[in-house]
């Protein structure tokens, strides 16, 4: 039973800094932490897109060489 209570209180902690969540900004403790999480999420998305671009770039030179010859 105690485990359930711990899970609930853990969910009420800000995932960024671990402070108690503010009802206005949940699941975060403040707008600042909500912004930090949003930026992390966005930069993660951009990182994935950049990786895909790199892979494409790596394949292109090989294809171009084969086509030129
Ligand atoms: Zn926070």
């Amino acid at each position: 039973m105690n485990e359930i209570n711990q899970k609930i209180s853990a969910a009420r902690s800000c995932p960024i800094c671990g402070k108690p969540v503010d009802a206005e900004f949940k699941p975060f403790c403040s707008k600042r932490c909500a912004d930090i999480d949003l930026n992390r999420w966005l930069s993660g998305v951009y990182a994935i897109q950049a990786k895909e671009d790199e892979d494409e770039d790596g394949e292109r030179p090989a294809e171009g060489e084969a086509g030129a010859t």
Side-chain angles (χ1 to χ4, degrees):
M1 300 299 166
N2 279 340
E3 276 177 43
I4 292 167
N5 281 337
Q6 276 175 355
K7 272 184 187 173
I8 289 169
S9 66
R12 284 184 163 189
S13 299
C14 172
I16 303 299
C17 68
K19 284 180 186 173
V21 168
D22 189 306
E24 245 189 88
F25 302 108
K26 63 184 175 180
F28 306 101
C29 71
S30 63
K31 189 179 187 302
R32 202 177 148 215
C33 281
D35 282 348
I36 289 169
D37 184 74
L38 181 67
N39 284 331
R40 279 187 189 178
W41 189 82
L42 286 177
S43 58
V45 170
Y46 286 131
I48 288 164
Q49 283 180 346
K51 251 192 179 181
E52 278 178 12
D53 271 2
E54 261 178 52
D55 282 347
E56 251 184 75
D57 251 32
E59 277 178 47
R60 259 183 213 167
E63 270 184 277
E65 264 179 59
T69 313

